Amino acid sequence: MADRAEIRRDTFGIPHIIAVDEEAAGFAFGYAMAEDHAAEIGRRYLQARGEAARHFGPADVDNDLAMGRFDNRAAARRALAEQIGKDFRRWLQGFAAGINHYVGAHRQTLPAWMPVVEPSDPLAYGRMFGILAAVRPPARLLEKYAPGPLFGSAVPDTRGDEPGSNALALAGTKTASGRPILLGNPHLGWSSLYWEAHVTIPGRINFYGSTLVGIPVLRAGFNDRLGYVQTNNGPDLEDIYSLPLVPDRPGVYLHNRRERPIEQRRAAVEATQADGSVMRVAREYEETALGPVIHRTADRLFVTRSINLEWWRQYEGFFELMHARSLADFRGILGRRLAVTSNYTYADVGGNILYVWNARLPRRRDPAVDYSLDVPGETER
């Protein structure tokens, strides 16, 4: 693939990629990102696989156990084969190959733990954040019900407001030049590692933008026709269901008028301690047909379902938007609901500006029910 793509760095160090197809462009994208941040890519992907504690120590045990509980690496491999579109799959294959090509050529300068990257690793990485959010019982749930055991190492979700960000689009009628102005201000920390690139596939993509290290495509930016930025919008992507336990049978719950046994799932990880010894940590988790148990009281289970655990095409949505050439293209791609979250603020050379509150929300059967905390789950499917 290296002979089908070229990387040119400008005086600011930004890579400008010219490639003949998606696979070659993904290869150059991965290679250039690895040039700048190879070790950090490897660290983030090991966390997503649930293998970080083996290399970095006990501080990563809880994260690794959560990844093992949800079978994150294997699930990402299945999603790559079964759910991801052909063009984006080729991009991911190229992306992984590009990182590995760089690592192979610079192995002596990289940590020994640097993994061989798989095309599914970015998918596992994207899902990791949904997993970590899903296993935290909200503080309001614990306040509402008598305390019960928290499963595994789950801790109450005591986070306040989500990190914010700003964007604005001004129509040409409001600017001195008569042309629209688009501004994005993402508010992320320096440690998030923003990364810029320009990708050109003649006749298909000519897009300059930014992303975060580990994400295999550009999240926002512009071409010669349009531009868009993303800001946080915090949609409610998780539902918590309450399931009654059968009296005097704490291992059995009711669902769809049937008694069902609580399933047990065991996750185990290895962690390297400061003295170099390796300890093995195992933990048992409770699961139901509706989802994982995050809390229980004497008479009820509380389980969670999350779009972020079931939907794998968020990054594919970013990939598709890189191809947009018009307002109609942009709206059509967003309308496919590949991207799960984010406000989108948009402007184009035709003078159009647009704001979209975008989310792929759970399907909730009863619009009269308040899903902001727990809801009865006896008849949910």
Side-chain angles (χ1 to χ4, degrees), residues 43-50 63-64 66-67 72 121-135 308-309 312 315:
R43 180 183 293 273
R44 295 181 183 194
Y45 288 174
L46 286 171
Q47 290 174 331
R49 293 179 181 182
N63 178 92
D64 285 2
M67 299 307 110
N72 198 38
D121 280 326
L123 302 181
Y125 178 63
R127 187 181 187 232
M128 177 176 71
F129 303 101
I131 290 174
L132 296 177
V135 297
N308 278 325
L309 298 182
W312 293 91
Y315 293 164

Side-chain angles (χ1 to χ4, degrees), residues 2-233:
D3 61 345
R4 307 205 314 270
E6 181 180 359
I7 303 171
R8 302 172 183 172
R9 297 254 181 187
D10 62 27
T11 56
F12 296 101
I14 307 301
H16 296 256
I17 294 164
I18 302 174
V20 301
D21 56 30
E22 282 78 7
E23 188 173 30
F27 177 92
F29 196 88
Y31 187 94
M33 186 180 285
E35 282 186 308
D36 296 336
H37 299 291
E40 187 60 28
I41 296 170
R43 180 183 293 273
R44 295 181 183 194
Y45 288 174
L46 286 171
Q47 290 174 331
R49 293 179 181 182
E51 299 175 359
R54 184 188 307 165
H55 304 285
F56 312 128
D60 283 289
V61 163
D62 289 344
N63 178 92
D64 285 2
L65 286 169
M67 299 307 110
R69 179 183 186 182
F70 289 90
D71 200 21
N72 198 38
R73 188 181 188 187
R77 287 170 168 171
R78 292 192 297 271
L80 178 72
E82 299 170 5
Q83 298 187 38
I84 300 303
K86 178 180 66 176
D87 287 344
F88 187 50
R89 191 183 312 127
R90 292 175 60 214
W91 178 284
L92 289 173
Q93 290 166 345
F95 178 76
I99 295 172
N100 293 331
H101 188 72
Y102 175 83
V103 171
H106 300 84
R107 172 53 71 181
Q108 70 279 6
T109 67
L110 293 168
W113 47 257
M114 182 70 195
V116 175
V117 172
E118 301 179 2
S120 59
D121 280 326
L123 302 181
Y125 178 63
R127 187 181 187 232
M128 177 176 71
F129 303 101
I131 290 174
L132 296 177
V135 297
R136 296 189 186 107
R140 291 190 300 128
L141 183 73
L142 305 186
E143 293 167 0
K144 181 177 178 181
Y145 295 97
L150 300 176
F151 292 86
S153 59
V155 296
D157 183 358
T158 56
R159 295 170 297 175
D161 292 340
E162 294 292 326
S165 45
N166 303 120
L168 63 85
L170 298 176
T173 56
K174 302 296 183 180
T175 67
S177 67
R179 297 172 181 172
I181 293 177
L182 179 66
L183 173 69
N185 183 9
H187 287 201
L188 289 181
W190 188 257
S191 61
S192 299
L193 296 182
Y194 255 94
W195 189 75
E196 293 178 58
H198 179 196
V199 178
T200 301
I201 304 174
R204 295 210 287 279
I205 297 175
N206 180 16
F207 194 82
Y208 185 108
S210 65
T211 190
L212 300 174
V213 169
I215 296 178
V217 289
L218 298 172
R219 301 195 317 166
F222 60 90
N223 57 30
D224 62 316
R225 304 297 302 170
L226 57 84
Y228 56 89
V229 295
Q230 297 169 347
T231 53
N232 295 350
N233 62 345

